């Protein structure tokens, strides 16, 4: 990235079948996605420090590692606390890293970076990201490859804020076909108990979001014969946006984007397919943690499309 590049990094445009996307190299970030003149995610300016993780790739873990501490392969580790108000390590190690551009075609771009072995995460993992547009929407694949000589804990996911159309989150309808929700503490969002969806979290039938607050991880998705699940948010006119993801993403974090900054507050719905649950570095493989053997790779994919 040159010194005169925008603050979000080098800008990469792709287009196909009426869709356009803008990718920024800092964090391999999806900065904008449109179908025609309609925003499908909440965008931000190229020469702007990316707000509230909009569009970032999250790796080698999504969501939180509680207190930044975990034990893996018999060793204790302590990560830097990147969410100081709640004292957690948040959203991995590549969200503010400059990715190198691999291939850049009219409808496709690839980016790559390496997570170096470091204090708290003494593992070396290459992270490859592909964005590709076609008539079915924007397809993203994130692959982690362990190039070190010891097993490494791994997880990934995206952080888009979906935009269904006119109005705010309160005005939109959400269809979230998940049977279970991970409850969290109110103050620090520390995961507690996995329970059947209930009350305001039972969104298996399309439901007006209204004033409800959501910042929770869901699992137990209804899936089609190919193992694909989909979360859909629509505006009053029936148009909207859908995120579909395969069985490699067993979880999804959904957040109504409640924020103290007025321009961010409930302006988009965060829908984050994840390969693992929050705090999976502590919860382990039962909640989706991937253990990458030396030389092994893991890929996760999702698609954002207009409806």
């Amino acid at each position: 990235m040159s010194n005169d590049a925008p603050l979000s990094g080098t800008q990469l445009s792709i287009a196909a079948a009426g869709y356009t996307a803008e990718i920024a190299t800092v964090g391999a970030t999806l900065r904008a996605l449109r179908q025609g003149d309609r925003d499908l995610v909440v965008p931000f300016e190229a020469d702007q420090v990316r707000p509230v993780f909009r569009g970032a790739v999250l790796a080698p873990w999504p969501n939180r590692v509680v207190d930044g501490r975990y034990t893996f392969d018999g060793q204790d580790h302590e990560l830097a606390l990147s969410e100081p108000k709640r004292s957690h390590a948040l959203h991995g190690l590549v969200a503010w890293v400059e990715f190198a551009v691999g291939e850049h075609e009219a409808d496709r771009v690839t980016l790559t970076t390496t997570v170096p072995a470091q204090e708290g995460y003494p593992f070396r993992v290459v992270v490859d990201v592909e964005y590709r547009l076609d008539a079915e929407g924007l397809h993203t694949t994130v692959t982690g490859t362990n190039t070190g000589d010891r097993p490494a804990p791994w997880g990934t996911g995206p952080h888009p804020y979906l935009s269904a159309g006119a109005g705010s989150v309160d005005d939109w309808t959400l269809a979230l076909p998940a049977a279970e929700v991970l409850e969290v503490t109110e103050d620090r969002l520390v995961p507690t108990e996995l329970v059947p969806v209930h009350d305001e979290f039972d969104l298996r039938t399309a439901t007006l979001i209204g004033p409800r607050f959501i910042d929770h991880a869901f699992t137990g998705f209804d899936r089609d014969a190919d193992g694909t699940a989909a979360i859909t948010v629509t505006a009053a006119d029936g148009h909207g946006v859908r995120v579909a993801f395969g069985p490699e993403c067993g979880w999804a974090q959904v957040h109504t984007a409640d924020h103290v900054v007025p321009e961010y507050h409930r302006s988009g719905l965060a829908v984050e397919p994840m390969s693992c649950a929050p705090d999976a570095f502590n919860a382990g493989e039962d909640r989706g943690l991937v253990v990458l053997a030396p030389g092994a790779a893991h890929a996760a994919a999702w698609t954002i499309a207009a409806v």
Side-chain angles (χ1 to χ4, degrees):
M1 181 175 64
S2 65
N3 289 334
D4 59 354
L7 290 176
S8 66
T10 301
Q11 305 298 301
L12 305 164
S13 300
I14 56 176
Y19 287 97
T20 58
E22 300 290 336
I23 312 302
T25 52
V26 174
T29 295
L30 174 61
R31 191 176 63 77
L33 175 63
R34 298 182 178 91
Q35 185 197 47
D37 60 359
R38 181 160 69 95
D39 283 316
L40 301 180
V41 300
V42 180
F44 66 97
E45 297 300 320
D47 201 26
Q48 180 182 4
V49 175
R50 183 195 56 227
V52 293
F53 286 93
R54 283 184 193 168
V57 167
L58 313 179
W61 72 87
N63 210 277
R64 295 165 175 85
V65 176
V66 172
D67 296 323
R69 297 175 180 174
Y70 66 100
T71 300
F72 179 77
D73 202 20
Q75 294 187 339
D76 296 332
H77 302 283
E78 187 168 355
L79 296 155
L81 301 182
S82 52
E83 189 184 28
K85 289 183 178 179
R86 294 191 176 112
S87 297
H88 302 314
L90 183 68
H91 289 335
L93 298 169
V94 301
W96 298 105
V97 169
E98 172 76 9
F99 278 67
V101 180
E103 301 174 74
H104 185 193
E105 304 167 5
D107 59 353
R108 175 179 173 271
V109 64
T110 64
L111 306 99
T112 188
T113 193
T114 297
V115 179
Q118 58 196 273
E119 189 73 25
Y121 191 81
F123 316 100
R124 189 174 63 233
V125 178
V126 174
V127 182
D128 292 305
V129 181
E130 180 191 57
Y131 288 103
R132 179 176 56 85
L133 277 171
D134 62 19
E136 302 302 316
L138 178 67
H139 308 280
T140 308
T141 303
V142 177
T143 304
T145 303
N146 183 358
T147 60
D149 60 1
R150 58 192 295 193
W154 167 261
T156 190
H159 205 297
Y161 285 83
L162 304 185
S163 178
S168 72
V169 166
D170 302 55
D171 306 307
W172 301 339
T173 295
L174 175 62
L176 174 56
E180 296 176 292
V181 60
L182 185 61
E183 293 189 332
V184 294
T185 61
E186 184 175 350
D187 55 347
R188 298 180 60 216
L189 302 182
V190 174
T192 56
E193 186 179 5
L194 185 64
V195 300
V197 291
H198 55 89
D199 301 328
E200 70 269 30
F201 299 125
D202 189 351
L203 299 158
R204 289 172 289 183
T205 300
T207 304
L208 182 69
I209 296 172
R212 79 187 67 211
F213 168 78
I214 307 170
D215 195 0
H216 294 74
F218 294 81
T219 190
F221 289 96
D222 289 339
R223 297 180 182 269
D224 65 16
D226 295 326
T228 300
I231 298 172
T232 305
V233 58
T234 52
D237 64 1
H239 293 294
V241 57
R242 174 179 296 123
V243 179
F245 46 95
E248 67 276 11
C249 288
W251 295 79
Q253 182 82 13
V254 177
H255 182 211
T256 45
D258 300 70
H259 204 281
V260 295
V261 177
E263 66 180 287
Y264 302 159
H265 183 65
R266 299 178 76 87
S267 61
L269 184 72
V271 176
E272 310 161 40
M274 303 184 299
S275 62
C276 59
D279 201 33
F281 274 27
N282 285 301
E285 294 178 73
D286 286 347
R287 289 195 175 170
L289 179 69
V290 173
V291 176
L292 286 174
H298 176 273
W302 45 86
T303 299
I304 305 176
V307 296

